[in-house]
C-alpha cells in the first residue's frame, strides 16, 4: 500500500479491538485506521462490508483498495467494484505505482507465468494473495477514526442463521 501513497487501513470488528489493531498496523506505515464496529454487521454475509467500503471510498477517494484474496475478500472486492463502477483485479502477488495507476502482477498457471494488469476505470479494487509479499516496517501515525456506515436494508437480506464447525 505504501507504494501507492499514504497507507490507510480499515478494521471491521469489535470496537474494543480497534486500538490494538491500530498499534499493529501502524508499525507497517498505516497513517490512519478507519474503525468500524461490527455489532450491526455481524450475522450478515458480505454485502454490509462492501457497502461500508463503498462509503469510505466515496468519502476519501483512495488511490486503490487492497483486500486480502480470500473467499470472503474476493466477494467483498467484487461487490465493491460493482458499487463504485471500478475495475477489479484478483489474486495479485505484487502491486506497484504506475503512470496509469497501480500496476499489479499476477502469477498464473501455478506460477508458470506472470502477467501485469492495470485497472482502467475508477478506483482500482485489488485482491492480494496472502503471503505474496513480506511486510515492510515503516512507522505510521496509526490514528484511529471511528466510522459508522449506513447499511441499507437490501444489504441485510442475506443473514447467517447457523454455522457449524467441520
Amino acid at each position: 500500500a505504501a507504494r501507492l501513497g499514504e497507507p490507510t487501513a480499515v478494521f471491521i470488528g469489535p470496537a474494543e479491538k480497534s486500538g490494538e489493531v491500530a498499534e499493529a498496523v501502524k508499525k507497517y506505515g498505516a497513517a490512519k485506521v478507519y474503525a468500524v464496529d461490527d455489532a450491526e454487521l455481524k450475522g450478515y454475509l458480505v454485502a454490509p462490508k462492501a457497502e461500508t467500503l463503498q462509503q469510505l471510498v466515496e468519502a476519501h477517494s483512495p488511490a486503490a483498495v487492497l483486500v486480502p484474496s480470500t473467499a470472503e475478500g474476493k466477494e467483498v472486492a467484487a461487490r465493491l467494484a460493482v458499487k463504485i463502477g471500478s475495475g477489479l483485479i484478483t489474486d495479485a502477488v505484487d502491486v506497484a505505482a504506475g503512470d496509469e495507476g497501480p500496476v499489479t502482477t499476477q502469477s498464473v498457471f501455478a506460477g508458470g507465468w506472470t502477467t501485469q494488469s492495470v485497472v482502467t476505470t475508477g478506483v482500482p479494487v485489488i485482491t492480494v494473495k496472502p503471503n505474496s509479499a513480506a511486510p515492510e516496517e515503516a512507522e505510521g501515525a496509526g490514528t484511529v477514526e471511528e466510522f459508522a456506515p449506513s447499511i441499507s436494508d437490501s444489504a441485510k437480506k442475506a443473514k447467517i442463521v447457523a454455522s457449524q464447525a467441520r
Side-chain angles (χ1 to χ4, degrees):
R3 293 179 183 176
L4 305 178
E6 185 177 73
T8 300
V10 177
F11 171 66
I12 300 174
E16 63 272 6
K17 295 222 179 222
S18 61
E20 179 183 329
V21 169
E23 282 300 311
V25 297
K26 82 176 192 177
K27 293 181 208 173
Y28 299 100
K32 186 177 284 186
V33 177
Y34 292 105
V36 179
D37 186 357
D38 71 347
E40 283 191 49
L41 308 181
K42 277 190 217 175
Y44 297 102
L45 293 178
V46 299
K49 291 177 182 177
E51 278 193 7
T52 298
L53 291 177
Q54 172 192 10
Q55 292 169 29
L56 285 166
V57 166
E58 289 171 351
H60 301 287
S61 302
V65 178
L66 306 179
V67 180
S69 197
T70 61
E72 181 182 56
K74 287 180 190 179
E75 187 170 351
V76 169
R79 288 173 180 260
L80 173 62
V82 168
K83 288 179 176 298
I84 63 174
S86 294
L88 169 67
I89 295 174
T90 59
D91 296 330
V93 295
D94 191 24
V95 180
D99 295 337
E100 306 280 322
V103 177
T104 65
T105 302
Q106 295 162 281
S107 177
V108 294
F109 299 121
W113 191 36
T114 59
T115 182
Q116 291 189 320
S117 305
V118 177
V119 169
T120 59
T121 302
V123 174
V125 179
I126 303 164
T127 69
V128 181
K129 280 188 177 181
N131 302 318
S132 60
E136 297 175 11
E137 289 194 26
E139 196 65 30
T143 306
V144 176
E145 184 176 314
E146 302 294 328
F147 181 75
S150 175
I151 305 301
S152 69
D153 289 339
S154 67
K156 295 179 181 178
K157 287 183 178 178
K159 188 168 184 156
I160 300 169
V161 293
S163 64
Q164 181 177 352
R166 287 185 180 194

